[in-house]
Each structure stands twice: as structure tokens, then as C-alpha cells.
Amino acid sequence: LVTCSVDRLLILWKLTTQCRAYSFEGHAEAVTSVDFSPDGQVLASASHDHTVRLWIPCIYGESSVLKGHTASVRSVSFSHDGCSVVSASNDKLIKVWSVSYQRLLFTLFQHTGWVRCAKFSPDGRLIVSCSEDKSVTIWDTRNKICVNRFSDYEGFATFVDFNPSGTCIASAGSNNTVKLWDIRTNKLLQHFKVHRAGVNCISFHPSGNYLITASTDGTLKILDLLGERLIYTLHGHKGPVLCVAFSKSGEKFASGGMDTQVLLWKTNFDTLDYEEVFKHNFRRTHIDDPPHLLDIYPRSPHLHDENLNSVEVDPSFDVPDKQTPDPVVINI
């Protein structure tokens, strides 16, 4: 597990019985985002120091610096083939970098406000970004143009990502909401109002059936997307929860908060056979290649605004105390 912080460090946590953490120094200011390459061989990080760094996660702590942005870099993310990295910055630009050549490939510009997040689609053909200009924008990576835009006049999206099949995007909002859009039909599929403060991060379960959210209200919430309902509210952090991410298998997820804590959670979807879920999901979403965005005629959106109830979970009462002692930290 890798984490980043305003303390300027990347910390690589070895999740074994002998808990050990490797601390990587290099950025001159707060580190805002970090991502593992799909094969786990490279780390990418973004910082307020205007740079993106690529790291080899080993005891030598080697890194290379990608310079091009002129303001704080808010987000960094790998493409699913691991060949490219996309970064989003307060300079209102999105940049795509080659990992192997460590150079800038192209820049996307149309946002008029700080860009908070940018992510590749699973097939690499699209990039979705969100900005404080209150827009969520979809870009074609081949033509380097904007092909669609969703606007939210109630607030701005703080985080955005594609679902595992690449047919939908989910956005986390400063106005306490989470929205799911079908990019093939331009339809707003689901609109969750379950938090009492801004939503800072979201993560899809690998099956695509669940979405976890992290909010400034101090809670994590797990949404059942098929049932269109909230199923769990998780209390553990003392203060705003800044980030959350499912593991590749979906059996665990990690969250980080303003309380300087990193919490590792185990999902209780144990009643499901993961392989069967994946098979079913693959059949359901891979009958044919999804149509390209430009081939679809847009339709009008609709809302899902029902009152949503959930089970409240407080780790201090309902979950065995699995807090680990402070690990041995090796500075690199």
C-alpha cells in the first residue's frame, strides 16, 4: 500500500506480519496524489511543487522528475496498460506523459478553473477530468479533443473516475453528492445525497457493483449500485476523510484522513463468490465493445433522489481492534 501526505513523503507500507514502512523523500512540497502502475513496478506521484515524479518502489528510492505544469499538480493516474500517466493541475491543464520515455506526449486545455482530477478509461481511448469550473469533461485521447461535457451548477466535482467496464463515470461533489453518468447516452443514472459535507474521493469495487465514498463529514459510505441504495456508513476517522481505494481483488480497501491515520478495512461481501461475480460482470459488460462516445445520440438525464438508509458501523464497537503498532520506518 502506498500513501502520500502534506508531510512531503511517500510511504510504502509492507502489509505483512512484520509491519514495515519505506519513506521516500524527493518532493519539495506537499504530495497530493499517488498511483501504482498496473504491474506494480512503478509509482507516480504529484505535488504542490508543480512536478510529477516516477518512482521505482525499491530500497534505492530512485525517481525521475516530469516538469511541465506551472502550478500545483492535484492528481496523477496511470493508464490501464501502464504506458502513460495523466496529470491534472491548478494551471487548468491536463498533461499526458510517456512512462518509458519520461516525456510529455500532449496537453489538453479547455477548463477555465483548477483541474482537480483526471483518469483514463479502461480501454485508454478516453480521459475524464473534473474542474472547479463546475464541469466534468470527457476527452478523446486519439484526437486530443473534448467530446462531451457534463455541468453541475450546484457545486464542482472534486474527484471523478470510470467504472471497471468503462461505460459510466462517477463524480464526487463539493455539494455533498455522488453522481453516476452513462457516457454512451449522456444520461444521469444515479444521484446519491448521502453525506453531510463535501465528498473528496470515490472508488469502484472491481465488480462494478459497489462504490465507496470518502467525505469531509468524517465518514465512508458504501453504495450498492445495482440496488441503488446505501448499505454501510463507516466511522473510524476523526475528521475529514480525504481518500479511499479498493484493492485489486476488492477484498480490502484503505482510507486516509486529516487525522493523519491510514485505515485498512476488510470488506464483508464474503457471501459473494468473487470469481462468479467477475464472470457475471464480464458477460454483462463485454458482450461487445462499448460504442464510442461519438457514435451515441445524447438523451435527457433523470435523477434518483430517494431517501437512502444504511447500517452504521463504528470500528470501536463493531470491528475487532486491528490497529497495528507503529511500523519500523526506513527513510530512503
Side-chain angles (χ1 to χ4, degrees):
L1 173 69
V2 65
T3 58
C4 62
S5 167
V6 294
D7 63 11
R8 306 180 184 180
L9 300 178
L10 292 176
I11 294 187
L12 191 64
W13 308 83
K14 196 171 183 181
L15 303 179
T16 57
T17 51
Q18 182 184 2
C19 188
R20 183 170 294 179
Y22 298 89
S23 174
F24 292 87
E25 296 183 16
H27 282 294
E29 295 185 40
V31 189
T32 55
S33 176
V34 65
D35 193 29
F36 261 113
S37 63
D39 62 6
Q41 299 301 307
V42 183
L43 287 170
S45 61
S47 170
H48 284 320
D49 65 11
H50 304 184
T51 68
V52 172
R53 279 181 181 258
L54 298 177
W55 307 77
I56 306 298
C58 66
I59 61 172
Y60 300 109
E62 299 171 351
S63 70
S64 54
V65 183
L66 304 179
K67 295 181 179 180
H69 286 292
T70 57
S72 298
V73 188
R74 303 294 292 266
S75 163
V76 66
S77 182
F78 278 94
S79 60
H80 286 246
D81 60 8
C83 295
S84 304
V85 163
V86 61
S87 58
S89 170
N90 286 0
D91 62 11
K92 307 175 186 177
L93 301 177
I94 299 154
K95 291 183 181 289
V96 176
W97 312 81
S98 166
V99 174
S100 57
Y101 295 106
Q102 299 179 11
R103 65 178 179 86
L104 179 66
L105 294 176
F106 57 88
T107 301
L108 302 172
F109 48 91
Q110 194 162 329
H111 284 297
T112 57
W114 292 357
V115 189
R116 298 291 294 259
C117 182
K119 299 278 188 179
F120 279 101
S121 63
D123 61 10
R125 293 193 297 177
L126 302 173
I127 287 174
V128 64
S129 63
C130 62
S131 166
E132 294 189 11
D133 63 14
K134 299 186 177 181
S135 72
V136 173
T137 302
I138 296 176
W139 312 81
D140 187 313
T141 57
R142 293 172 295 187
N143 300 322
K144 284 83 172 174
I145 59 171
C146 169
V147 292
N148 207 344
R149 174 172 286 195
F150 305 100
S151 295
D152 189 341
Y153 296 103
E154 301 169 12
F156 59 86
T158 58
F159 193 93
V160 68
D161 201 2
F162 285 91
N163 70 338
S165 66
T167 58
C168 298
I169 57 171
S171 65
S174 64
N175 60 341
N176 314 354
T177 65
V178 174
K179 295 183 177 182
L180 273 82
W181 309 80
D182 187 324
I183 63 172
R184 301 166 299 179
T185 61
N186 290 352
K187 182 182 292 185
L188 178 60
L189 297 177
Q190 294 173 337
H191 185 184
F192 293 97
K193 296 180 178 179
V194 294
H195 284 289
R196 298 189 304 275
V199 186
N200 299 313
C201 188
I202 52 179
S203 180
F204 278 98
H205 187 269
S207 68
N209 297 335
Y210 303 97
L211 186 73
I212 191 164
T213 63
S215 170
T216 299
D217 65 15
T219 66
L220 298 153
K221 292 181 184 282
I222 298 179
L223 308 174
D224 177 358
L225 300 181
L226 295 182
E228 297 186 340
R229 64 195 180 101
L230 169 63
I231 53 177
Y232 291 112
T233 300
L234 306 173
H235 303 268
H237 288 283
K238 298 176 178 63
V241 190
L242 302 178
C243 58
V244 65
F246 271 110
S247 63
K248 283 188 177 181
S249 67
E251 294 178 355
K252 296 177 182 176
F253 57 93
S255 60
M258 199 82 82
D259 56 5
T260 73
Q261 299 287 325
V262 177
L263 300 183
L264 188 64
W265 306 75
K266 187 179 185 301
T267 61
N268 68 342
F269 308 145
D270 297 335
T271 53
L272 299 176
D273 184 324
Y274 281 98
E275 290 189 4
E276 287 302 315
V277 170
F278 291 147
K279 286 178 184 176
H280 172 73
N281 194 59
F282 189 86
R283 287 194 302 269
R284 183 165 59 87
T285 60
H286 292 76
I287 296 171
D288 199 357
D289 287 337
H292 191 264
L293 196 65
L294 299 176
D295 302 331
I296 300 299
Y297 185 79
R299 300 175 188 172
S300 60
H302 69 278
L303 296 177
H304 288 277
D305 280 338
E306 313 90 48
N307 292 325
L308 298 162
N309 298 317
S310 74
V311 177
E312 301 272 332
V313 178
D314 186 334
S316 61
F317 299 107
D318 302 308
V319 180
D321 184 5
K322 298 283 183 135
Q323 186 170 3
T324 58
D326 290 341
V328 178
V329 178
I330 301 169
N331 291 313
I332 298 174

